[in-house]
């Protein structure tokens, strides 16, 4: 039996028909990214799964229980789902620990001591153990969203629903939240993620749903949707954002292959030679800096690089995810030549270290 079964789901707001009969099955451990233009019904669909939006028609079955049935125990069924919103919705009058312990103590009958132990373990996993007794108002947006995710996990849900979890964040905080979701993905947590972060959707999901025309317009693996979409509106949407990715597993990686891949990427999508050269230079300098400081003398490395070009606003972005020790090249007392070059050609720099992974983002 599937973890989630949706049949002929419909929802309208007055004369506006948002969902026009959606059918979907979600398996245990599956990670689904939901993408599409603004107003296409992505968030309405996600909220309908836990009846935060009441469907006009259709059937929703969660882990064998129909939440849309007339006499369904809605609150009980909802406990098998964790919802992470755009806004964090932490209780401002409670500290972090109380925010995390409230639901499991009251709704599951968990002892306070047990709840606090579980909360501390989750906080350690997301790098916020030192903030256990902080008030939400003194935390950054990224920290609050990580706490909100922990609050969902306290209830041990069968599936997590993410409704654009980074859209309310400053760009410098996006990476730390995405790193937590990557951690959950590696643990085979079942997830449905509404997102505008296309690189992230491509990386973390097993299946991608593209919403248009009131439903699932096209679906497939990340490779099928991002590299070879079949239908007209999917193609138009995907072509607005272009990608190039490169994986490094040892120090002796093929630098010429990296440069050649970026050159081909630039030529394919009409980037001028100056911008292409800057991309090559920044990638090379950052990679060697990270290899030197994050992995020290280790030969086996794990570094993932992606370059994206957004046709809508003309920006190019470099994203790097690598393991090893924590190292922020942008906060060194004496910048090396490579980092100085990157600073001079970049509009925005972002770094985070979560779950033993360095995450860098550079917008040129």
């Amino acid at each position: 039996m599937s973890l989630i079964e949706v049949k002929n789901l419909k929802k309208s707001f007055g004369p506006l028909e948002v969902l026009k009969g959606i059918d979907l099955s979600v398996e245990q451990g599956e990670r689904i990214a939901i993408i599409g233009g603004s107003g296409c019904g992505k968030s309405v669909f996600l909220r309908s799964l836990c009846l935060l939006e009441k469907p006009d028609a259709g059937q929703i079955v969660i882990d064998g229980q129909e939440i849309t049935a007339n006499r369904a125990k809605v609150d009980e069924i909802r406990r098998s789902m964790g919802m992470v919103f755009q806004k964090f919705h932490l209780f401002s009058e409670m500290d972090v620990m109380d925010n995390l312990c409230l639901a499991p103590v009251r709704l599951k009958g968990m002892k306070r001591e047990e709840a606090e132990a579980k909360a501390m373990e989750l906080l350690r996993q997301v790098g916020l153990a030192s903030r256990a007794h902080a008030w939400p108002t003194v935390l950054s947006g990224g920290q609050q969203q990580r706490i909100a995710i922990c609050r969902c996990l306290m209830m041990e849900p069968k599936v997590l629903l993410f409704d654009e979890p980074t859209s309310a964040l400053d760009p410098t905080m996006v990476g730390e939240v995405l790193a937590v979701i990557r951690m959950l993905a590696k643990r085979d947590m079942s997830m449905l993620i509404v997102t505008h972060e296309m690189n992230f959707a491509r990386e973390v999901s097993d299946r991608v749903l593209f919403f248009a025309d009131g439903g699932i317009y096209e679906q497939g693996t990340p490779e099928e949707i991002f590299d070879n979409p079949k239908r007209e509106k999917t193609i138009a949407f995907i072509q607005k954002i272009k990608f190039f990715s490169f994986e490094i597993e040892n120090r002796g990686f093929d630098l010429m292959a990296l440069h050649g891949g970026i050159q081909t990427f630039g030529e394919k999508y009409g980037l001028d030679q100056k911008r292409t050269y800057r991309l090559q230079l920044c990638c090379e300098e950052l990679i060697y800096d990270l290899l030197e400081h994050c992995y020290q003398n280790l030969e086996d490395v794990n570094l993932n690089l992606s370059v994206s070009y957004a046709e809508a606003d003309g920006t190019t972005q470099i994203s790097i995810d690598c393991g090893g020790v924590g190292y922020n090249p942008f906060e060194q007392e004496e910048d090396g030549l490579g980092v100085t070059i990157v600073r001079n050609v970049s509009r925005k720099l972002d770094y985070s270290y979560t779950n033993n992974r360095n995450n860098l983002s550079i917008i040129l």
Side-chain angles (χ1 to χ4, degrees):
M1 179 183 295
S2 298
L3 180 60
I4 298 176
E5 286 282 354
V6 180
K7 296 180 181 178
N8 197 33
L9 186 67
K10 296 182 180 180
K11 177 64 180 178
S12 297
F13 296 96
L16 179 62
E17 193 176 9
V18 179
L19 304 178
K20 300 180 180 180
I22 293 181
D23 297 309
L24 179 68
S25 294
V26 180
E27 302 303 319
Q28 180 69 46
E30 192 172 16
R31 299 172 295 278
I32 295 178
I34 303 174
I35 64 173
S38 298
C40 68
K42 307 184 299 295
S43 293
V44 173
F45 171 70
L46 207 67
R47 291 170 63 85
S48 295
L49 295 180
C50 51
L51 297 196
L52 292 178
E53 296 287 355
K54 188 175 180 180
D56 299 323
Q59 182 184 53
I60 303 171
V61 179
I62 308 295
D63 197 26
Q65 300 182 77
E66 185 186 347
I67 196 171
T68 46
N70 288 333
R71 297 184 179 181
K73 296 179 180 179
V74 174
D75 289 340
E76 181 179 311
I77 299 172
R78 276 179 177 158
R79 292 175 194 172
S80 65
M81 296 180 281
M83 185 84 175
V84 181
F85 302 91
Q86 298 177 28
K87 299 292 185 179
F88 324 119
H89 299 303
L90 299 179
F91 298 115
S92 60
E93 70 277 11
M94 298 180 180
D95 68 10
V96 167
M97 184 59 69
D98 286 339
N99 264 277
L100 296 183
C101 293
L102 178 64
V105 169
R106 288 195 178 181
L107 300 179
K108 298 185 70 175
M110 187 181 293
K111 293 181 178 180
R112 176 71 186 203
E113 295 79 8
E114 181 184 353
E116 288 190 2
K118 183 177 181 63
M120 283 304 300
E121 176 58 29
L122 289 172
L123 289 172
R124 280 192 287 270
Q125 291 176 18
V126 302
L128 291 175
S130 65
R131 312 298 277 165
H133 296 289
W135 296 96
T137 52
V138 304
L139 300 177
S140 69
Q143 290 173 331
Q144 290 188 63
Q145 192 64 295
R146 282 186 276 165
I147 297 298
I149 295 172
C150 288
R151 185 171 60 179
C152 289
L153 295 174
M154 288 291 293
M155 295 296 288
E156 299 181 338
K158 297 289 184 65
V159 60
L160 286 178
L161 311 177
F162 291 92
D163 185 11
E164 299 188 24
T166 62
S167 65
L169 299 179
D170 184 281
T172 61
M173 302 174 187
V174 170
E176 62 193 68
V177 174
L178 297 185
V180 173
I181 302 176
R182 287 188 186 97
M183 174 190 72
L184 296 173
K186 291 178 181 177
R187 297 178 181 178
D188 292 328
M189 184 76 195
S190 304
M191 296 187 285
L192 282 81
I193 309 167
V194 171
T195 183
H196 289 293
E197 301 282 346
M198 296 298 108
N199 269 336
F200 175 70
R202 182 187 188 109
E203 172 192 346
V204 80
S205 62
D206 304 308
R207 185 166 29 138
V208 179
L209 312 181
F210 175 67
F211 268 49
D213 296 343
I216 302 172
Y217 182 83
E218 185 172 352
Q219 63 178 301
T221 65
E223 292 76 17
E224 289 170 337
I225 295 299
F226 290 112
D227 295 336
N228 192 30
K230 303 296 184 184
R231 303 189 66 189
E232 180 181 358
K233 290 185 179 181
T234 317
I235 294 170
F237 180 83
I238 295 301
Q239 284 182 346
K240 293 179 181 178
I241 303 178
K242 327 296 184 181
F243 299 96
F244 166 76
S245 59
F246 193 84
E247 183 174 357
I248 295 174
E249 296 181 337
N250 58 71
R251 291 179 176 276
F253 73 98
D254 192 338
L255 177 62
M256 292 302 102
L258 172 63
H259 278 250
I262 296 174
Q263 182 68 38
T264 301
F265 173 82
E267 292 172 352
K268 182 176 181 180
Y269 298 120
L271 304 184
D272 60 57
Q273 187 56 45
K274 182 178 180 180
R275 183 182 297 194
T276 300
Y277 175 71
R278 284 181 173 178
L279 285 171
Q280 292 172 321
L281 183 61
C282 288
C283 288
E284 178 179 345
E285 296 295 341
L286 286 170
I287 287 171
Y288 280 116
D289 196 29
L290 290 169
L291 291 180
E292 177 182 356
H293 292 92
C294 295
Y295 291 100
Q296 299 176 351
N297 297 321
L298 297 177
E299 287 299 322
D300 293 329
V301 303
N302 183 354
L303 187 151
N304 301 300
L305 175 143
S306 65
V307 176
S308 64
Y309 167 61
E311 191 176 75
D313 59 9
T315 60
T316 49
Q317 179 172 335
I318 299 169
S319 299
I320 299 177
D321 165 56
C322 80
V325 300
Y327 170 73
N328 184 351
F330 310 133
E331 288 188 350
Q332 304 307 307
E333 292 184 2
E334 294 184 6
D335 289 342
L337 177 59
V339 174
T340 300
I341 292 171
V342 173
R343 286 187 179 280
N344 289 340
V345 300
S346 301
R347 292 165 47 188
K348 183 176 291 186
L349 304 171
D350 177 33
Y351 171 85
S352 66
Y353 185 71
T354 308
N355 302 314
N356 300 318
R357 302 291 295 181
N358 296 274
N359 296 279
L360 293 82
S361 175
I362 304 94
I363 297 178
L364 304 184

